Amino acid sequence: MAFMEIKDLHLYYETTRGPLRAVEGFSLSFQEEGKTLGIIGESGSGKTSLSLAIMRSIPGNVSTYQGSILFEGRDLMRLSAAEFRKDIRWKKISMVFQGAMNSFNPVIQVGRQVVERLLSGDGISPRKAGREAESLLETVGLSRDVAYRYPHELSGGMKQRAPIAMALYLKPRLIVLDEPTSALDVSIQAQIMNLLKQLKWNLGISMILITHDIALASDICDYIAVIHGAKLMEYGPAENILINPQGPYTQKLLASIPRLHGDTRPQFLSGAPCDLVSPPPGCRFQSRCPSVFEPCREKEPPWLEVAPAHWTGCWLYAK
Amino acid sequence: MERHRLLSELKKSGPGKVGVVLFALLITVSIYVVFTYPPDFGPIRWSNPAVWADNPKAAPPAWIHLFSDTRPAEHQVFETTSPVHAPSGETHDLEYVFQIPFTHQADEPPTFLSFALARAVYHLRPPVVTVLLERPDGEEFTLYREILRGPRPGESPPYQRHFTEPLRVLLSAERRAVEAVAGFLKGLEDPVPPQEQWQRNLTAALFGSPASPEAFGVLSGDYNLVVRVMVNDPADSVEKVRAVVGGSVFGALGTDILGRDLAEGLLFGLPVALLIGLTASLINTLVGTSLGLVSGYLGGVADVIIQRAADIVSNIPLLPLLIFMVFILGPNLWIIILILVAFSWPGLTIMVRTMVLQLRSGSEVEAAQALGASRTRIIFRHIFPHTAPFVFAQLVFFTPSAILAEAGLSFLGLGDPSIPTWGQILEHGFRTGAVFLGYWWWVIPPGLLIVLTAITFMFLALGMEPVVNPRLRRARSWRLWR
Amino acid sequence: MVRGITMVLVLIAVQFLLVISLGITGLSDRMLEAVIGEELRALRPSLAETIRDPDELEYALRVRREELQTSYGLDRPWYHRLPEMVSRVFTLDLGEAHTLRSFTGSNRVADIVLERLPNTMLLLTTSLIFTAGIGIAVGVRLASKVGSLSDRIVSYFSAVSYAMPAWWVGILFILLFSFRFPIFPSGGMYGTPPPPAGLFRFLDLLHHAFLPIITLVLASAGPYIYVVRTMTLDVAQADHVTVARAKGLTEKVVSRRHILRVAAPPIVTGLVLGLAGSLGGSILVETVFNWQGMGRLYYEAVVGTPDEMVIVALTFMFTLIYVIARMILEVLYVILDPRVRYQ
Amino acid sequence: MNSENVLVKGESLKVYFFVRRGFFRSTAVKAVDGISFQLRRGETIALVGESGSGKTTLGRATLGLIKPVEGTVCFEGEDISTFMDHRIKEFRRKAQPIFQDPYSSINPYMTVFQLVEEPLIIHKRGDRKEREKLVIQTLEQVKLIPAAEFATKYPHTLSGGQRQRVCIGRAIVLEPEYIVADEPVSMIDASSRAEILYLLRELQERRNLSFLYITHDLASARHFSDRIAVMYLGTQVETGPSREVIEHPLHPYTRRLLQAVPEPDPRNRFHLRPVIPGDPPSAMDVPQGCPFQPRCPESLVDECTMIRPPLNEISKGHHVACYLQGKLPES
C-alpha cells in the first residue's frame, strides 16, 4: 500500500470570470514513508493551492473541491471535519506555511503557539507545555528562551525555524512544507535545508516540499513532481527527473537554472503559464513548448510511464 | 488603475448603485430649487410672517385624509379685483360690492375664515367696509363692519389706505360675527348649544346649524362672502379683496405654527445641506491633503509642527468646541463651515502623511528621483495619484458628517438665521413644542431628509469600500459626532 | 510618553483657545458688564429706600459698580484676567458662576458641574457598555460570514445609523413612545413629584434614562459594528489564522485567541474614539430629553444667559473626560499589544 | 588600468544611517563602510552578498541618491557631489537604476507609453512626435512587441517580466551610460530570469553600457558579469574576475557562500551542506577587526579580531581581504 495516494484532486476558485482551476485532476502516489516528495511549479501553477487541498485548509472562495487523498488506507476527503481534526490534522499531517513571519500570532508568545494544539482542549499543564515547547525549539536549533519571546522579537532565520518546531509538535508522519525558505538568503536557506534533512534522517518524517526552485528541491527530495498550469507534467525519482528529464517543460526548467560551475549558459522559458480560468484545449504547455506538434493542441496528453516509476504527460512519448 | 476600479466598483455594488441614483436625484432637485427660488429666500419669504398669514397654522399634510374616513376642510384662498357692482356716478349708489362664492364640502367646518382688503383710496370721508356671509340655507350673517382710518393730521387727499399692508381681518373671531350667530340661534325653536361652547369655535356655528343641543352639524353647499364698501365719492376706489377659508390640512407636507409651508422650506434646505456638506468636505479635503503631503514629503520641522498640531486638534472633543466657537463668532454659514474644517482636518492629514511616507521611500519615487524629476512632478505624478482614491473616498465620507454637524448646531439654535436649514426647522418645531403636541409632520420629514442626504453619501462611500478599505478604515473620520 | 505630553497639551490648548476667543471678541467683558448691570438693577430699589437724594443714589450705585468691576477683574484687560482663570481651572478651583445656580442654590461652579457629572456619566457609560457589547458581539459574528444576507443588512443598518442624527432619533422616540404610545416619559430624570429615595427612585431614574440611552446606543452601535467587523475581517484574513485553523484548533479558540485577541487594540481604539462622538452627542441628546447633565448645562451656559466661568469649566471637563479615556486607551494598548511594549 | 576607460569610480565610500535608540542616543548603521571600486565602460560588476551587506546602499550612493558620509563617487572623472543644477540633471540622464520590484517601481496610473515617455519629458527631449518615435523604438528594443499595442496598456495588465521590461525601457530611453540593476530578476520566475538578463546584456553590447549588477545569486553573477565583488557588512571582502572568484574563491566567506548554493544534483540529499553558522550580524554593531571573524569557520589568527584586513591583490585583478591567505586549503 502506498504511503499516500492522491487521486484526481480538483480545486477551483470562484472568480468573476468563471472558475479558476488551481488544481486540476492531480493524481500521484507517494510510495514510501520517510521520504521527501518535491512539488515544483512556477508562480501561478497552483502549487500552494495543492498544499492547502492536501491539508483541507481551503479558503472560502473555493467552488469545487473533490477527488480523494488516501493516507494510511483512509480517504482524507471522506472524513468528517471533526474526524479529520481529531485524527489527522497536525497529529498525522502538519504543515509549514509560506511566509513564516506571518505564521505566528503577533500577540502570543512563540512557545505557547508551538504547543497550542494541546493547550487548548485536550489539556496539558502549562508547565509541561512550556518545557515541551522549549525542547521542541531546541530541536530546530533555537535557544530555549525563544519560547517566551513574541514573534516580532525573532530574526528572519529564527522565524523560519519556529514554524518547523510547531509542525513537529505532535510527531506527525507527514509535514507539508510550502516554500519554507523563500525570501531567505542562501546561507540561511542552507541552514534550514540542513535542519530539514536532519529531521528526515533522525525522525523518519515524510515531507512534501513545495517550491519553485528545482535546485533547492534536489537538496532533500527523493521524488519530484513537476506541475505547470494546474496540471502534473512529470513525476518520478529525483535521479530521473534531475538527470534525465523527459518532459520538455522539465527539461526547460532545468536548463533555465544558471550553473555555478561550468560555462553552460542558462536558457529561458519565454511567455507565461496559461490562463487558469480559460485554459486552451490540449496540453497546458503548448504555447511555450519548443517541440509542440499537432496532438498537443487538440487533446490532453496521455500519462505515460517512460521509465520505471517515472511518469510524464507528453504526446512525444505516445506511441 | 484604481480610479477606473473605483467607478466600476461603484456600479457593481448594491449600495454604490443606490448611492449614485440618490445622488443624481438630490442634484436634480437642488438645481430645480436653485433656479426657481429667490436667492434671498430666507429673509424675504421664509422669515416674513406676512407671506404666510393666510395659511392654516400647524396643519398636517393634505394627503392624510387618504388614511381617515372624515373629509377634512380644504384650504381655499380667493382674490378678486373686479367688483360685481361699482359706483355708477349717481349720488345714492356709492357702493362697491365684491362677491366671493365658494363651496364647502367637508365633514368639519373650516378652521377659520378671514378676509383682506388692499389699496383703498378715498377723497372725502373714509369708506365703510361690511362683510356678509350668505349660506346655502339662505341665512345671511353680517360678520364685520368698520370704517377705514380717517385722515391723519397733515394728510391731504387722496387718502391712500392699506397700500403696503392690507387690512386683514380674522372674521371667525369678530365680535360682530358672534352677535350674528347669536341672533340666528335665537330665532330657532329647537334647543341650541350654549354660547360659551360655540363662541370658542365660531366656524362651527358659521358653517353649520345645530344638530343637537350639544353640537353643530356641518352645513355643506355653496356659500357666498359679500364685501360691501360704501364710499362718499365716485372717485374713491378699492382695488383688491381676498378671502381665506381656512382648511385643516395643507399642501404636501403641512405647515408649521406660523403657517409656513413646510414643503417649501424643506425643499430649500436641500441645496443648502449639499452646499454645507460638499463645501466643508472640499475645503477639509484640500486642507487635510495638502498638509499631509507637505508633512510627509518635506519632513523636518514642518512635519513635526503639523503632526503635533494634528495630534492636539484630533484629540479635542469636537462638539463642545464647535458650539462654543459658533456662539462666539456668530451663527454664519461660512463661519460654521470654516470651524468644522478647523477641527476636522487632522484625520486626513494623518492618513495622507502615512501613505506619503510609505511612497516616499518606495522605489517608484526613487526611480523618479533618479530620472531627475522635480519635486513638484514627484508629488503630483508619483505620490498624489496613489492617495487620490482615498482622498476622494474621504471627501465622500466627510460630507454627511458636515451635514449632520450643521444640523446639530442648528438644532441647538446656532444655525445661520438668514438661511433656513432642516436643522433650524426641527429646532423651531422642538422649541415650540411640536413634539409634545404630536405635530409629526413638522418633525419627521426634516429628519428624514437629513438622513436621506447623509445616507446617499454613506452609500457612495460604502460602494467604494472594496477599493479603498485597507487604508480607509484606519482613517478616523467616523469619529465625527452625530 | 509623547502621547502623555500630547494629552496635556490638548488640555492646555483647548483652554487657551477658549480664553483667547472669549477675550478677543470682547465677549468676556460684555458678559461681565451684563452681570454687573443685573446686580445693580437689583440693588437700586433697596438702595432707593434708604437714600432719598437721587444724586447720592447715583453716586452710591457708581461706587458699587466700581467695586463690582474690581471684584470681577474688569479693571484689568482680559489677557490678565482670563489666564488666571485658566490656571485656577487647572488646579480644579473652578470659581463661582455669575448667573447659573446649582439645584441646591450654590453658585460655586464646582458644585454646579459636579452635581451634573454623575448624570452625564450615567448616560455615557451605560451607552458605551451597550455599544461595546452589541458592536463586538455582532461585528465579530458578521466578520465570519461576509457577504451573507445578515452581513448586508447590518452593513446597511450601520450606514443608516451613521447617517441618523441621534437627537432626531431621540425626538422620534419621544413622538412615538411618549406621545403616540405613552410608555416612557418624554424628558427629565425623575417623575413629578420624585418618588422617595430608594428602589422606586432608582427605577424611576431607569425609566427616564431608557430612551436617552437607547438613542445614544442606536447612534453609536451601528458604526461601531461596522468598525469591529472590518477590523476583525482584517485579522481573520491574516496568515496566522490560517495556520491556527490548520493546526486543528477549534473554531472557538481560533476566533477568540487568534482573531479577537489580535484585533482587540483597534477595536478598543474604535470604542474610545466613538466616545468622542457620544460626548458631543450627549449635549444634543441631553437637550432633547431635558436630562440634567453637563451637556444640557453647557447648552444653557452658552445659549441661555452666557456664563463664561461655567463654559470654561465645562469645556475643561469634557476635554478631561476625553483625555482620561485616551490615557486609559494607551494603557490598554500596552497590555493588549506586546509590539507596543517593546518599542 | 586605463583610467580614461573608467566610468564610475568610488573611493573609500562610507554611508552611515543614524537610528534613534531610546530617547537620546542614536546609533550609526554602517551600511557601507569604506569601499573603493572602478567600473569601466562596457563592463558589468556584480555586487554579491547577503541581505544587509550594504550592496543596495552602495548602488544608490553611486547614483547620488544617498550622500556618503565619507569618500567620493566620481563619474567620468568628476566628483558627483559637486554637480549643481544642470550638471546633476545631465548626470541623472547618464546614470539610471533598475529596481528589484517591477510592481512597485512604476506608477500604476500611467500607461506604458507615458511611463517610458516620462524621462523624455523631464529632460525636455524633442517634441511630441519625436518622443513618440523614441518610445516605440525603445519598447521594441526591450522586446515589448508589438510596441504600439503595449504602449496603451496599464502596468497591472502586464506580467512581472513585462513590467520589468517597461522599467528597463524607462531606464534606457535617455541613452544612459551607467545602469545600477538592483536585483532585477529576483521577483521574476526562475524560468524566465535568464531572458531579462540576456536582454540587459544585449543592450550593453549595443550601447557600450556599464552595469552595476546587484544580486545575491552567485550563479547568475558568474554568467552575466565580468567581475564580482563580494560584500559583507558594508565591506568588500573579495573581488576579481567572475570566473576566477567562483572557481577559486579565496575568502572563507565567499567559499561558504558558494557551498550554500544548491545545484540540481540528486546526490545533494545524502549529505549536509556546509553552512555559515548563525545569522548575519546587524550593521548596527560591526565587530572589531575582520567583520566576518565571529562567524568565520577557519582557525583565527590574532589580527582577525583586532584590525580590519586590507584588500590585497593575490593574482591579477583578484583581491581579497583576509589574513589567512596561503593558510587556507585550496578549494
Side-chain angles (χ1 to χ4, degrees):
Chain A
M1 188 177 65
F3 171 60
M4 183 179 202
E5 197 164 358
I6 301 172
K7 278 188 197 151
D8 207 29
L9 190 62
H10 286 75
L11 184 73
Y12 294 176
Y13 294 103
E14 212 154 341
T15 71
T16 46
R17 294 191 297 139
L20 183 139
R21 300 137 192 260
V23 177
E24 201 180 357
F26 188 92
S27 305
L28 115 193
S29 91
F30 182 11
Q31 291 294 338
E32 251 175 295
E33 202 178 341
K35 299 286 182 188
T36 301
L37 164 68
I39 293 176
I40 319 289
E42 285 172 271
S43 54
S45 62
K47 53 188 194 301
T48 293
S49 303
L50 181 62
S51 71
L52 296 177
I54 293 171
M55 281 303 284
R56 282 182 61 166
S57 292
I58 54 166
N61 58 340
V62 163
S63 59
T64 306
Y65 175 47
Q66 59 194 40
S68 70
I69 301 168
L70 292 171
F71 182 79
E72 296 183 326
R74 291 219 265 177
D75 187 349
L76 301 186
M77 308 258 306
R78 301 285 167 282
L79 295 181
S80 72
E83 273 177 305
F84 187 77
R85 189 188 95 81
K86 200 168 128 273
D87 296 345
I88 308 292
R89 176 156 283 170
W90 227 249
K91 290 194 172 163
K92 292 279 165 61
I93 305 177
S94 64
M95 183 162 177
V96 174
F97 285 84
Q98 191 173 7
M101 24 292 267
N102 303 325
S103 291
F104 283 96
N105 182 334
V107 301
I108 300 179
Q109 290 173 354
V110 172
R112 268 184 75 93
Q113 298 191 54
V114 167
V115 296
E116 194 178 9
R117 172 66 189 267
L118 287 195
L119 258 186
S120 66
D122 306 71
I124 51 170
S125 77
R127 247 184 119 180
K128 184 161 170 261
R131 278 200 307 276
E132 262 180 73
E134 286 176 28
S135 75
L136 272 171
L137 289 166
E138 217 164 31
T139 317
V140 298
L142 292 171
S143 68
R144 285 174 164 267
D145 67 299
V146 168
Y148 306 101
R149 294 202 217 163
Y150 287 95
H152 68 276
E153 299 169 278
L154 305 189
S155 73
M158 289 154 93
K159 273 190 186 153
Q160 210 72 41
R161 287 165 190 266
I164 297 175
M166 190 155 73
L168 289 174
Y169 176 45
L170 297 178
K171 302 189 177 56
R173 297 184 56 198
L174 174 69
I175 300 185
V176 180
L177 301 134
D178 186 7
E179 300 270 19
T181 66
S182 65
L184 286 186
D185 277 312
V186 273
S187 55
I188 312 278
Q189 177 177 304
Q191 287 178 9
I192 300 292
M193 292 316 285
N194 280 352
L195 169 66
L196 292 176
K197 277 182 216 179
Q198 282 164 330
L199 295 174
K200 177 184 170 189
W201 298 334
N202 302 342
L203 305 176
I205 297 179
S206 318
M207 299 181 195
I208 293 179
L209 174 75
I210 290 166
T211 177
H212 67 277
D213 186 348
I214 198 165
L216 185 77
S218 78
D219 228 13
I220 188 165
C221 296
D222 305 289
Y223 301 94
I224 290 178
V226 179
I227 56 175
H228 178 265
K231 289 240 173 194
L232 188 56
M233 303 297 284
E234 189 157 1
Y235 174 51
E239 281 80 4
N240 295 32
I241 301 286
L242 293 172
I243 295 169
N244 195 15
Q246 297 295 309
Y249 177 62
T250 318
Q251 287 167 353
K252 274 286 187 185
L253 208 56
L254 271 167
S256 70
I257 298 167
R259 303 296 168 118
L260 204 47
H261 301 287
D263 287 329
T264 331
R265 284 281 177 93
Q267 299 177 353
F268 57 84
L269 265 166
S270 48
C274 67
D275 180 17
L276 294 180
V277 177
S278 49
C283 178
R284 293 282 161 89
F285 186 53
Q286 52 176 284
S287 63
R288 306 166 87 186
C289 183
S291 31
V292 62
F293 66 121
E294 265 330 289
C296 307
R297 299 204 176 86
E298 286 154 12
K299 270 181 75 182
E300 211 154 289
W303 190 237
L304 301 165
E305 190 165 20
V306 287
H310 182 179
W311 297 75
T312 189
C314 183
W315 278 111
L316 287 174
Y317 301 97
K319 285 173 202 109
Chain B
M1 176 187 83
E2 283 189 73
R3 256 175 302 185
H4 305 296
R5 265 192 67 202
L6 209 63
L7 288 177
S8 68
E9 207 64 57
L10 259 186
K11 280 183 236 146
K12 244 189 286 167
S13 78
K17 256 186 279 185
V18 177
V20 170
V21 170
L22 283 177
F23 187 65
L25 189 76
L26 296 185
I27 291 291
T28 318
V29 175
S30 294
I31 290 173
Y32 166 78
V33 171
V34 166
F35 280 102
T36 52
Y37 278 49
D40 44 358
F41 172 80
I44 68 152
R45 233 183 122 71
W46 189 251
S47 312
N48 181 3
V51 175
W52 312 103
D54 289 339
N55 284 359
K57 316 295 177 230
W63 44 262
I64 56 153
H65 77 267
L66 296 176
F67 303 99
S68 75
D69 297 334
T70 56
R71 199 159 39 148
E74 228 175 297
H75 189 71
Q76 300 179 80
V77 179
F78 305 94
E79 196 173 279
T80 173
T81 50
S82 45
V84 291
H85 183 88
S88 56
E90 294 165 40
T91 43
H92 59 270
D93 186 23
L94 289 172
E95 189 180 41
Y96 285 90
V97 179
F98 294 89
Q99 285 200 353
I100 297 168
F102 63 91
T103 312
H104 181 67
Q105 292 281 7
D107 299 332
E108 56 177 5
T111 48
F112 66 90
L113 180 68
S114 79
F115 111 99
L117 178 147
R119 303 174 79 88
V121 179
Y122 68 89
H123 295 80
L124 287 169
R125 267 179 290 152
V128 180
V129 180
T130 312
V131 181
L132 302 146
L133 180 69
E134 294 171 12
R135 313 205 315 174
D137 59 357
E139 294 290 334
E140 194 178 280
F141 292 169
T142 305
L143 303 178
Y144 177 77
R145 175 169 291 141
E146 273 325 309
I147 306 169
L148 292 187
R149 195 188 195 291
R152 296 185 183 86
E155 206 181 9
S156 58
Y159 306 103
Q160 299 185 334
R161 291 290 175 267
H162 303 296
F163 265 62
T164 47
E165 189 74 5
L167 166 73
R168 200 184 300 272
V169 181
L170 184 59
L171 297 170
S172 52
E174 273 300 302
R175 179 183 48 87
R176 216 172 263 279
V178 177
E179 285 165 10
V181 172
F184 160 65
L185 292 176
K186 206 176 280 172
L188 294 177
E189 284 151 15
D190 299 330
V192 293
Q195 184 167 359
E196 305 83 65
Q197 191 209 318
W198 56 258
Q199 201 173 350
R200 264 183 284 123
N201 187 12
L202 197 59
T203 48
L206 286 178
F207 289 85
S209 41
S212 69
E214 284 83 39
F216 285 87
V218 179
L219 185 65
S220 293
D222 296 330
Y223 288 78
N224 194 11
L225 193 74
V226 182
V227 178
R228 295 170 181 275
V229 183
M230 305 267 272
V231 294
N232 300 91
D233 191 318
D236 295 356
S237 68
V238 170
E239 203 176 306
K240 198 154 62 173
V241 165
R242 213 169 130 84
V244 181
V245 185
S248 63
V249 293
F250 187 86
L253 291 174
T255 60
D256 69 4
I257 200 87
L258 297 176
R260 297 191 281 207
D261 181 0
L262 283 168
E264 201 176 320
L266 291 178
L267 217 53
F268 183 76
L270 178 60
V272 177
L274 289 183
L275 176 80
I276 293 167
L278 290 173
T279 317
S281 186
L282 213 63
I283 302 176
N284 186 53
T285 311
L286 222 64
V287 172
T289 313
S290 337
L291 285 176
L293 285 174
V294 167
S295 171
Y297 194 78
L298 295 187
V301 184
D303 182 35
V304 172
I305 292 174
I306 293 174
Q307 281 319 298
R308 282 299 128 237
D311 250 6
I312 292 173
V313 176
S314 66
N315 280 315
I316 293 177
L318 183 57
L319 188 59
L321 262 277
L322 203 58
I323 292 174
F324 181 73
M325 296 304 284
V326 174
F327 176 68
I328 296 262
L329 298 175
N332 174 293
L333 195 63
W334 298 106
I335 287 180
I336 292 172
I337 288 176
L338 286 182
I339 296 173
L340 261 176
V341 171
F343 288 106
S344 321
W345 58 270
L348 196 55
T349 300
I350 293 170
M351 183 181 87
V352 170
R353 174 177 177 268
T354 317
M355 292 180 71
V356 172
L357 282 184
Q358 250 169 38
L359 290 165
R360 195 176 66 151
S361 56
S363 48
E364 182 189 330
V365 168
E366 204 174 0
Q369 279 169 344
L371 281 171
S374 64
R375 194 176 262 183
T376 337
R377 185 178 187 88
I378 289 175
I379 289 183
F380 285 102
R381 300 238 35 167
H382 295 282
I383 290 182
F384 183 68
H386 291 271
T387 62
F390 305 94
V391 168
F392 184 66
Q394 278 288 291
L395 186 85
V396 174
F397 211 61
F398 184 75
T399 309
S401 304
I403 292 174
L404 292 169
E406 193 280 334
L409 277 179
S410 290
F411 181 71
L412 290 177
L414 292 167
D416 188 335
S418 66
I419 302 167
T421 63
W422 296 329
Q424 287 174 36
I425 291 175
L426 269 167
E427 185 255 351
H428 188 217
F430 187 72
R431 194 159 39 80
T432 52
V435 185
F436 308 103
L437 295 167
Y439 297 162
W440 54 266
W441 61 90
W442 192 355
V443 173
I444 294 177
L448 273 183
L449 282 170
I450 295 174
V451 174
L452 182 81
T453 315
I455 208 146
T456 301
F457 291 95
M458 286 306 299
F459 279 165
L460 287 176
L462 215 59
M464 284 182 230
E465 202 218 5
V467 186
V468 181
N469 191 6
R471 275 171 270 191
L472 179 64
R473 66 173 160 243
R474 283 183 179 73
R476 302 172 26 197
S477 72
W478 72 271
R479 83 186 190 88
L480 271 169
W481 55 283
R482 273 138 310 108
Chain C
M1 182 73 180
V2 178
R3 282 267 156 217
I5 296 172
T6 307
M7 291 304 153
V8 174
L9 280 180
V10 169
L11 274 176
I12 297 175
V14 170
Q15 293 302 308
F16 273 89
L17 191 67
L18 226 60
V19 160
I20 290 170
S21 11
L22 273 172
I24 284 184
T25 52
L27 202 74
S28 167
D29 294 358
R30 283 206 304 279
M31 283 197 282
L32 289 181
E33 286 294 353
V35 170
I36 292 171
E38 198 72 39
E39 284 196 29
L40 291 180
R41 232 189 329 280
L43 193 64
R44 181 186 283 268
S46 61
L47 270 184
E49 281 177 14
T50 49
I51 307 173
R52 297 284 169 184
D53 181 10
D55 284 345
E56 217 164 293
L57 178 64
E58 285 309 315
Y59 176 75
L61 282 173
R62 203 160 54 241
V63 171
R64 180 69 190 136
R65 170 183 291 273
E66 272 158 24
E67 275 172 26
L68 282 171
Q69 280 176 340
T70 318
S71 82
Y72 284 129
L74 261 179
D75 53 338
R76 289 168 297 156
W78 62 267
Y79 42 82
H80 284 295
R81 183 176 71 235
L82 293 174
E84 262 175 41
M85 188 161 82
V86 171
S87 59
R88 270 193 287 133
V89 166
F90 271 102
T91 54
L92 290 177
D93 171 9
L94 300 177
E96 288 170 5
H98 300 314
T99 52
L100 288 163
R101 294 289 178 269
S102 76
F103 305 132
T104 53
S106 162
N107 69 342
R108 287 187 55 232
V109 175
D111 291 343
I112 301 178
V113 172
L114 287 181
E115 73 184 357
R116 305 271 188 141
L117 180 66
N119 298 348
T120 292
M121 290 316 279
L122 175 73
L123 282 196
L124 276 186
T125 46
T126 323
S127 66
L128 198 69
I129 289 168
F130 277 114
T131 303
I134 296 172
I136 293 171
V138 180
V140 170
R141 187 148 309 165
L142 286 188
S144 67
K145 37 184 167 184
V146 174
S148 67
L149 184 68
S150 53
D151 179 37
R152 270 175 302 175
I153 289 173
V154 177
S155 291
Y156 275 92
F157 166 73
S158 294
V160 174
S161 143
Y162 180 89
M164 279 200 298
W167 45 274
W168 179 65
V169 177
I171 291 177
L172 283 192
F173 279 163
I174 294 178
L175 207 57
L176 201 61
F177 297 114
S178 308
F179 181 77
R180 188 78 188 76
F181 308 103
I183 307 170
F184 291 104
S186 64
M189 292 178 61
Y190 298 103
T192 37
L199 181 66
F200 283 108
R201 201 184 170 92
F202 179 68
L203 287 179
D204 191 41
L205 181 67
L206 282 190
H207 192 211
H208 281 78
F210 188 80
L211 285 184
I213 287 175
I214 291 290
T215 305
L216 281 173
V217 170
L218 205 67
S220 54
Y224 190 57
I225 289 174
Y226 204 70
V227 168
V228 172
R229 169 192 173 270
T230 328
M231 295 296 173
T232 316
L233 198 60
D234 198 20
V235 176
Q237 286 162 346
D239 289 348
H240 76 259
V241 177
T242 316
V243 175
R245 290 215 174 88
K247 276 200 288 199
L249 303 182
T250 54
E251 203 51 37
K252 216 173 84 191
V253 175
V254 171
S255 76
R256 211 186 52 223
R257 197 184 294 159
H258 290 277
I259 298 178
L260 254 189
R261 177 74 183 74
V262 178
I267 286 178
V268 172
T269 309
L271 194 64
V272 174
L273 294 181
L275 179 73
S278 302
L279 218 62
S282 75
I283 298 182
L284 288 156
V285 172
E286 283 179 11
T287 305
V288 168
F289 287 99
N290 192 20
W291 186 264
Q292 297 300 320
M294 296 192 340
R296 173 93 196 178
L297 181 67
Y298 192 81
Y299 173 72
E300 283 164 5
V302 169
V303 182
T305 334
D307 194 322
E308 64 175 347
M309 211 48 230
V310 178
I311 293 173
V312 170
L314 277 178
T315 315
F316 174 76
M317 287 301 287
F318 278 124
T319 322
L320 191 67
I321 293 177
Y322 185 62
V323 164
I324 289 173
R326 289 298 305 249
M327 293 291 209
I328 295 173
L329 175 70
E330 295 302 323
V331 175
L332 276 179
Y333 241 100
V334 173
I335 296 169
L336 290 175
D337 195 339
R339 285 167 293 189
V340 177
R341 248 173 273 169
Y342 293 89
Q343 254 170 22
Chain D
M1 197 184 287
N2 186 350
S3 71
E4 289 220 336
N5 227 352
V6 172
L7 182 69
V8 189
K9 188 171 144 195
E11 266 174 283
S12 48
L13 278 176
K14 288 186 180 176
V15 183
Y16 296 172
F17 299 110
F18 293 90
V19 176
R20 277 268 291 274
R21 258 187 173 180
F23 215 70
F24 298 107
R25 279 183 309 139
S26 72
T27 318
V29 176
K30 301 180 176 180
V32 175
D33 199 13
I35 284 190
S36 304
F37 71 97
Q38 289 188 328
L39 178 65
R40 286 180 285 259
R41 285 182 193 277
E43 185 190 36
T44 301
I45 293 183
L47 220 47
V48 195
E50 289 171 281
S51 48
S53 61
K55 46 191 200 306
T56 297
T57 311
L58 178 62
R60 289 168 61 187
T62 66
L63 288 171
L65 292 172
I66 307 178
K67 281 207 167 49
V69 292
E70 243 184 86
T72 52
V73 177
C74 293
F75 188 79
E76 295 178 319
E78 282 177 273
D79 183 352
I80 64 167
S81 64
T82 64
F83 288 171
M84 301 298 270
D85 284 342
H86 68 280
R87 291 293 309 278
I88 189 84
K89 207 149 188 189
E90 183 59 20
F91 169 67
R92 293 254 173 268
R93 184 187 75 70
K94 289 180 178 172
Q96 279 296 309
I98 296 170
F99 291 102
Q100 174 177 16
D101 184 357
Y103 290 87
S104 69
S105 61
I106 47 180
N107 189 338
Y109 302 102
M110 287 158 86
T111 61
V112 168
F113 181 86
Q114 287 173 315
L115 283 165
V116 180
E117 188 194 20
E118 192 185 19
L120 297 172
I121 294 173
I122 292 171
H123 288 271
K124 303 193 175 65
R125 276 301 172 76
D127 55 26
R128 247 191 114 80
K129 267 236 167 83
E130 286 165 9
R131 289 203 301 262
E132 203 176 310
K133 215 178 106 195
L134 258 170
V135 169
I136 296 293
Q137 267 177 16
T138 308
L139 288 178
E140 276 162 4
Q141 276 178 28
V142 297
K143 311 251 157 56
L144 285 173
I145 297 170
E149 189 183 301
F150 273 103
T152 59
K153 290 192 174 182
Y154 278 92
H156 66 102
T157 61
L158 305 180
S159 73
Q162 287 168 335
R163 279 171 176 231
Q164 194 59 290
R165 282 162 210 262
V166 174
C167 294
I168 296 172
R170 246 165 94 79
I172 63 163
V173 69
L174 289 169
E175 302 186 344
E177 292 164 20
Y178 170 50
I179 286 182
V180 175
D182 188 353
E183 309 239 18
V185 295
S186 69
M187 306 274 283
I188 294 168
D189 257 316
S191 57
S192 20
R193 282 179 188 169
E195 195 178 8
I196 297 286
L197 292 172
Y198 282 122
L199 172 67
L200 290 176
R201 171 139 281 200
E202 187 190 316
L203 292 168
Q204 174 174 44
E205 278 160 11
R206 196 185 298 177
R207 301 185 170 190
N208 201 27
L209 288 171
S210 305
F211 272 102
L212 194 64
Y213 173 43
I214 296 169
T215 182
H216 60 259
D217 179 3
L218 285 155
S220 75
R222 180 206 159 120
H223 294 289
F224 294 96
S225 69
D226 305 298
R227 282 196 292 148
I228 290 179
V230 183
M231 282 185 72
Y232 187 80
L233 269 188
T235 63
Q236 223 170 1
V237 294
E238 183 165 359
T239 173
S242 303
R243 230 182 117 161
E244 179 76 14
V245 171
I246 301 289
E247 300 295 342
H248 305 289
L250 296 173
H251 199 278
Y253 175 65
T254 317
R255 291 187 179 185
R256 282 299 161 103
L257 209 53
L258 283 166
Q259 284 167 338
V261 178
E263 295 247 34
D265 183 339
R267 283 167 303 179
N268 286 344
R269 65 183 199 266
F270 300 117
H271 54 82
L272 292 179
R273 203 171 271 291
V275 295
I276 309 166
D279 283 338
S282 120
M284 277 212 249
D285 28 2
V286 178
Q288 271 259 300
C290 172
F292 186 57
Q293 145 261 315
R295 295 169 82 196
C296 188
E298 312 297 341
S299 60
L300 297 177
V301 296
D302 283 349
E303 290 102 310
C304 291
T305 56
M306 323 256 290
I307 307 157
R308 181 175 295 176
L311 206 57
N312 290 323
E313 185 157 11
I314 303 297
S315 59
K316 189 174 168 353
H318 194 168
H319 305 251
V320 67
C322 183
Y323 291 117
L324 303 170
Q325 286 321 304
K327 297 169 195 158
L328 290 177
E330 266 302 299
S331 68

